[in-house]
Each structure stands twice: as structure tokens, then as C-alpha cells.
Amino acid sequence: MENNASNFIKTIIKDDLETGKHDHIITRFPPEPNGYLHIGHAKSIILNFGVADDFNGKTNLRFDDTNPLKEDIEYVNSIKEDVKWLGYDWDNLFFASDYFDEMFKRAVLLINKGLAYVDDLNAEQIREYRGTLTEPGKDSPYRNRTVEENLDLFERMRNGEFENGTKVLRAKIDMSSPNINLRDPVIYRISHTEHHNTGNKWCIYPMYAFAHPIEDAIEGVTHSICTLEFEDQRPLYDWIVENCEMDSKPQQYEFGRLNLTNTVMSKRKLKQLVDEGFVDGWDDPRMPTISGLRRRGYTPEAIRAFCQEIGVAKTSGVVDSQMLDHFVREDLKLKAPRTMAVLNPLKVVITNYPEGEVEWLDAEVNPEVPEMGMRKIPFSREIYIEQDDFMENPPKKYFRLFPGNEVRLKHAYFIKCEEVIKDDNGNVIELRCTYDVETKSGSGFTGRKVKGTLHWVEASQAISAEFRNYQPLILDTAAEDEEEKTFLERVNPESIEVLQGFVEPNMKDVQPQDKFQFFRHGYYNVDSKLTKSEHLVFNQIVGLKSSFKM
């Protein structure tokens, strides 16, 4: 998938190749398997795989699985599926846990060089000793243990002699550094936890900040591309690569992460939505996860086009979520067949149409793509229209159906409302109408015009279906660093609307992930999780129009 758009990462890589700094390019996409990927990760996937493709390089998929407490093979499998669905394939598949033996050796090397020590301070004490952005930290009382003592304690940590949280291994750098990341960061902690990949072989695990640069160096990664929140950790990244005496010297480059309005882009918060039942799993169509977007009906082509349009910058910003919807519409308008669906049905009886007769009308599959051909739709005495396409006492400039008014049925005839049938509570339950046989669509009739055109579904052969319409999951665009209570209070209680209606009979053989444009409603996708042979469920992908301007 060629992308000719330039960005500062591509410029750096081009210069590195031209100057001979590198003769080949290796990037990596390194997710932690502690949740499902979201649209922000899609930007990183497209960037890492894309720049490697642009320069005939390679991209590794590597799972940074250094925290078994939060990781699961379910997440590993979902991430693989997401990368493939977006249209990419990795040259190598690695796990950080593949390198645990090597990481342990490098930690021992640091101890032998006097650059790491075992600390008995607990997590709260370590935070207290670290200092603040304006005040330097202070040395741990265990900072000056001898090399021999540190080697002994670290080996005993590995052998499982100590409880969780009682000891850590810290890099010995500079407790007065203006960069807090260099104030003797923890590089190993004790965790008596079974690992999804290594089982119970280890009870100590490397911290991400220690493991990541070693992984990059082992794999020969040339350009370690990450988001801006890691910028302050770059000096630590370089310190580890240098002092662990890695043969390869990868370099880290940071770009602005993707933030979207009306959502959250934090795996921790997304997991909270799942765990507390605000959504129906990670793949809920309201979620910004790649699996959620896929289930809702977004296409990989639209997501790639969106990410390429927003570009790669050195600063972070907020993108209007309607921009993503725009690219979905642009992709689907030439792909999705047109059809009619009635989501809130109101029965119409055409009293002067012959009883028992059914005729088949012609309709375009997609008027923008004539080569997609035509479809046949049945028409008879009884049909369904939308409830909100009728008003008994309409306001001015209401051009749909009301008593005495005439409208066109899409692909069919003019009908006129003659009588309104109500139940005992005064609710409209049926309309009695007449039709004009001369007004058949495509017949060339010009005798008179009507201002309203309604979609409809013939009643006797209509297929019942469930429709799920969506609104943003988060009500506003407030910053993500607010208190959790505020974040949960912003969850939209009306983010989903479930309706029971009908679709045309030609929809009887649809398959999960089939996409359609329902006349006047928008684009819909056959739900892959809830749809059964006897029960169709359609997810609204996007509406037909948006106020967003490119």
C-alpha cells in the first residue's frame, strides 16, 4: 500500500539511507497485550508498516509482554487479527518474553559495572525519594550496596525467595537529574505471576522502559517510532542501549498521538468501560477499538485514508471524529448496494390496488455505479413506511404523507392518504391510501409533481430485522486526564437505539459484515456477533450526511 505523502519520519529515514547511516530499514509495532487495540494504534500500525514498505524495509510485530498481571493470550490474538485486517503483515513475530534470559544477563552486567542495585524501599517510598519536577530526589539508603551484595540479592529475587513488592532492581543513574526518568528508575520487580508465554519460569520481570530498548537492539531495529509521551524517556532509552553494551544502536523518534473527539483513547479507560458493563465487550460497535470499528462496519481502506490524511506531526492534537466518518462515507458510497429498510414501521393499505396481486419493480443497486446492475423489489396492496413519514397535523413545509396529501413511493407509484386508523389509545396504527396506476416510476409520467418521496417495504415478503443506531459514546471532548468519576459521568446513556423493522426480501441471504446504504437512513453493516439465520441485526455505520468540511 503505497503512500506518497511525506512526513518528518520519512524525511529522517530518507536522509539516513542517503548518508549511509543505514543501508536497510527495520521498524516494529510493539503493543502490550493488555487490551484491544484502538484507532490510535491504527495510526501507529499504518506509520510503522507504511514507512518500512516505502523504503523496502521490514516491520516486526512484537508483543511487549513484560507485565503478566495484565496480559492475556486473548489480547495477543486480537492484535494479530487487527493488524491483518488493516492490511498489513509482519516480517517477524516476536515477544519481549523471548528475550527474558538476555535481559537478565544485561541487568547482571549493569550490577557488575556498578550501575544497578537492589533496593528495599517500597513503591510509596521510592516515589517519595524521587523528588519533584522542581526538587531533586535523594539517594535510597540501599543505593551503595556492594556489587557482590547486589548480585546475591538479585539472584535470590530470581529464585523466588522474596515476596512481591519487597525488593526491586534499580538503575543507578542520577537522583538529581532534571529528568525524573533518570532518577534511578526501577528496571526489575518481583511478581509471582504465571506468564502467558513463559509459564512459571520467572518470578521477576523487567520494566517496560528497560525491556523496550533492549528488544529494539536485539532485533536490529533502526527507527524506534513511538508517541510523544515517551519523549522524556528517550535519554533513558539511550542510556540502557549504551550501558547494556548492545551491539545495535537503535534510535527513538516520537510523533504526536491521535486524539479524537467524543471518545477516550486509553486502554485503561476502555477496559473500565468493558469491566463495568457500560458496553458489551471490547468489540462493542460504540468502542473506538479496531475490533469495535470493524464490527460496526468501518473499512480498513477508510481508516488508512483517514490516518494518511491527518498525517504525522511532532505535536499532538485533537481530530474531529466526524472526519473519520467522512472517509467511511467516501469509501462506501461506491461499494455499498442501495436498498430500502423501514426502521419504525407503519402499515399502509392501498385500497384500490388489486388484492392478492404482487408486481416486481426495477431498482438500481447503486446509481453511482451503473455496472452494479439492477434489483427486483415486490410491490403489493400492503406496505410499510416509516412512522415519522406521516403526520396527522403537519407543520408548514412538511412534504411527506398526511391526510389528503400525495407523495411518491421510491421506485413505485404516487399514493394519497385517504383515511387514518387508530387504536383505542388514539395511536395511529394504519393508513388507508389510494394509488395512481399512471404514476409508475420510470413510466415517463409528467401529469403532476409531488414534493415528497418515501421509502417503503412490501409487507407480505418483508424480512424482519433489528437495527442499532449509534450516537457518540462520550458526550463531550473534555481532556482525558480528568478524574475517573468525571470520565464515567460523560458516558452517553443514549449512545445506542435499538429498533425493530423490516428490510427488502432480497436481503434474506446477507452475510455478516455485508454493508448497505439504506435509503435516507445511512450506511449499515450486518452485525457479525448477533446476526443469526433467523434474526438479522444491522449496525449503523454512519449517517448519509455530515456537517464536517474537509
Side-chain angles (χ1 to χ4, degrees):
M1 282 160 287
E2 185 176 351
N3 174 24
N4 294 320
S6 186
N7 59 64
F8 77 96
I9 296 290
K10 290 174 69 171
T11 299
I12 290 170
I13 293 175
K14 183 179 179 182
D15 290 345
D16 287 347
L17 291 170
E18 289 178 350
T19 59
K21 181 177 180 179
H22 297 293
D23 58 9
H24 66 281
I25 300 300
I26 299 178
T27 62
R28 82 290 170 271
F29 176 62
E32 298 173 71
N34 58 1
Y36 281 59
L37 300 183
H38 55 61
I39 185 67
H41 296 108
K43 178 179 177 181
S44 182
I45 292 169
I46 291 165
L47 175 59
N48 277 285
F49 282 89
V51 295
D53 288 345
D54 290 341
F55 294 98
N56 297 314
K58 295 182 178 181
T59 302
N60 298 333
L61 174 61
R62 180 215 304 146
F63 291 94
D64 265 315
D65 54 346
T66 59
N67 186 1
L69 277 173
K70 296 183 178 181
E71 296 161 358
D72 195 283
I73 193 66
E74 173 191 352
Y75 301 138
V76 171
N77 292 332
S78 73
I79 289 168
K80 290 180 182 177
E81 182 180 4
D82 289 345
V83 173
K84 292 271 193 181
W85 179 75
L86 282 172
Y88 299 99
D89 199 0
W90 47 88
D91 292 278
N92 296 287
L93 176 65
F94 295 123
F95 291 84
S97 51
D98 295 337
Y99 312 131
F100 280 173
D101 288 290
E102 185 64 29
M103 291 175 191
F104 183 83
K105 292 177 184 177
R106 301 293 170 166
V108 170
L109 173 63
L110 292 180
I111 294 173
N112 278 314
K113 294 170 70 172
L115 295 177
Y117 62 96
V118 174
D119 195 357
D120 292 4
L121 295 181
N122 61 36
E124 184 178 343
Q125 291 169 325
I126 289 174
R127 282 193 296 271
E128 180 184 338
Y129 274 60
R130 184 178 291 132
T132 67
L133 292 173
T134 57
E135 297 178 355
K138 58 182 180 179
D139 290 354
S140 164
Y142 307 98
R143 194 174 196 266
N144 294 317
R145 280 172 163 160
T146 64
V147 168
E148 291 73 23
E149 186 178 5
N150 284 318
L151 288 172
D152 175 65
L153 288 171
F154 191 47
E155 184 63 33
R156 291 167 64 191
M157 286 170 61
R158 178 186 184 179
N159 292 336
E161 293 187 27
F162 306 114
E163 297 296 318
N164 293 352
T166 56
K167 296 185 188 301
V168 295
L169 183 69
R170 298 177 68 178
K172 186 187 288 187
I173 306 179
D174 182 2
M175 288 302 296
S176 62
S177 172
N179 187 335
I180 290 181
N181 294 289
L182 296 179
R183 295 180 189 175
D184 292 8
V186 174
I187 58 175
Y188 263 91
R189 80 287 202 192
I190 300 170
S191 182
H192 292 272
T193 308
E194 184 173 349
H195 190 282
H196 72 91
N197 199 27
T198 59
N200 292 305
K201 178 181 178 180
W202 297 90
C203 62
I204 58 171
Y205 292 96
M207 301 298 288
Y208 177 89
F210 176 70
H212 192 82
I214 292 177
E215 298 156 22
D216 283 346
I218 291 173
E219 295 172 14
V221 170
T222 56
H223 298 78
S224 182
I225 306 168
C226 57
T227 46
L228 276 176
E229 62 262 35
F230 293 99
E231 185 175 22
D232 290 340
Q233 292 194 21
R234 194 196 317 156
L236 175 59
Y237 182 102
D238 294 339
W239 186 93
I240 291 170
V241 170
E242 183 64 32
N243 288 286
C244 286
E245 301 179 9
M246 306 305 296
D247 293 334
S248 177
K249 307 294 183 185
Q251 284 190 264
Q252 177 178 300
Y253 301 92
E254 306 87 19
F255 68 96
R257 62 177 288 179
L258 170 61
N259 295 299
L260 277 181
T261 59
N262 296 110
T263 189
V264 289
M265 303 288 274
S266 158
K267 277 195 287 186
R268 176 175 57 84
K269 291 183 178 180
L270 294 174
K271 187 175 188 299
Q272 190 174 357
L273 291 172
V274 174
D275 291 345
E276 298 189 23
F278 286 93
V279 294
D280 181 26
W282 287 93
D283 66 346
D284 189 299
R286 293 167 289 178
M287 291 278 273
T289 54
I290 296 175
S291 59
L293 297 174
R294 177 167 63 246
R295 182 178 164 195
R296 182 160 173 173
Y298 285 47
T299 63
E301 294 85 357
I303 293 174
R304 292 199 303 268
F306 165 72
C307 289
Q308 289 164 4
E309 177 65 27
I310 61 177
V312 180
K314 295 182 181 180
T315 56
S316 293
V318 179
V319 178
D320 191 332
S321 58
Q322 292 185 80
M323 183 177 179
L324 176 57
D325 292 346
H326 165 80
F327 281 97
V328 175
R329 288 188 196 90
E330 288 298 299
D331 185 56
L332 289 179
K333 70 180 182 181
L334 300 181
K335 295 179 178 178
R338 291 356 181 211
T339 186
M340 294 190 290
V342 174
L343 279 57
N344 275 300
L346 174 61
K347 193 170 187 180
V348 173
V349 177
I350 304 171
T351 57
N352 63 334
Y353 195 90
E355 290 191 41
E357 181 175 321
V358 176
E359 64 177 306
W360 291 86
L361 306 175
D362 292 320
E364 311 98 329
V365 173
N366 186 330
E368 295 191 53
V369 189
E371 54 268 31
M372 292 180 72
M374 304 291 288
R375 71 184 194 278
K376 293 285 188 179
I377 52 176
F379 182 80
S380 71
R381 179 184 174 89
E382 296 184 0
I383 63 172
Y384 294 113
I385 65 169
E386 296 288 351
Q387 289 184 16
D388 60 8
D389 279 343
F390 171 80
M391 291 186 72
E392 193 170 11
N393 300 294
K396 291 182 178 180
K397 297 187 178 179
Y398 182 85
F399 300 124
R400 285 172 272 177
L401 204 56
F402 56 86
N405 191 44
E406 192 173 43
V407 298
R408 171 177 286 284
L409 296 177
K410 181 72 171 174
H411 305 303
Y413 299 93
F414 289 9
I415 62 170
K416 183 178 181 180
C417 180
E418 306 286 359
E419 184 181 358
V420 179
I421 308 298
K422 301 180 181 180
D423 63 14
D424 293 341
N425 296 317
N427 299 310
V428 177
I429 58 172
E430 184 179 301
L431 302 179
R432 300 289 173 87
C433 298
T434 55
Y435 88 117
D436 185 341
V437 68
E438 295 183 356
T439 61
K440 185 175 182 179
S441 181
S443 65
F445 175 79
T446 58
R448 61 187 181 282
K449 294 183 179 179
V450 293
K451 293 185 176 181
T453 298
L454 308 187
H455 63 281
W456 53 279
V457 174
E458 194 271 333
S460 68
Q461 299 185 50
I463 297 175
S464 62
E466 180 178 304
F467 304 90
R468 294 180 165 232
N469 292 338
Y470 300 106
Q471 297 295 325
L473 183 60
I474 304 299
L475 285 171
D476 56 50
T477 57
E480 281 196 38
D481 58 358
E482 294 182 5
E483 295 294 327
E484 291 300 312
K485 182 178 179 182
T486 305
F487 151 63
L488 293 178
E489 284 179 345
R490 294 191 287 119
V491 175
N492 183 1
E494 299 179 354
S495 59
I496 183 171
E497 176 188 34
V498 181
L499 301 169
Q500 303 294 330
F502 299 97
V503 293
E504 295 179 20
N506 56 26
M507 303 285 279
K508 67 180 186 301
D509 296 322
V510 297
Q511 299 298 311
Q513 296 300 114
D514 284 351
K515 297 164 180 59
F516 302 91
Q517 186 197 103
F518 291 153
F519 184 67
R520 286 179 50 212
H521 285 303
Y523 292 95
Y524 283 74
N525 184 57
V526 181
D527 188 273
S528 55
K529 195 171 184 178
L530 300 176
T531 290
K532 309 297 181 186
S533 59
E534 69 286 354
H535 180 63
L536 291 180
V537 179
F538 292 91
N539 294 321
Q540 182 191 47
I541 310 171
V542 290
L544 289 178
K545 295 181 180 179
S546 169
S547 59
F548 181 78
K549 303 294 184 183
M550 284 292 293

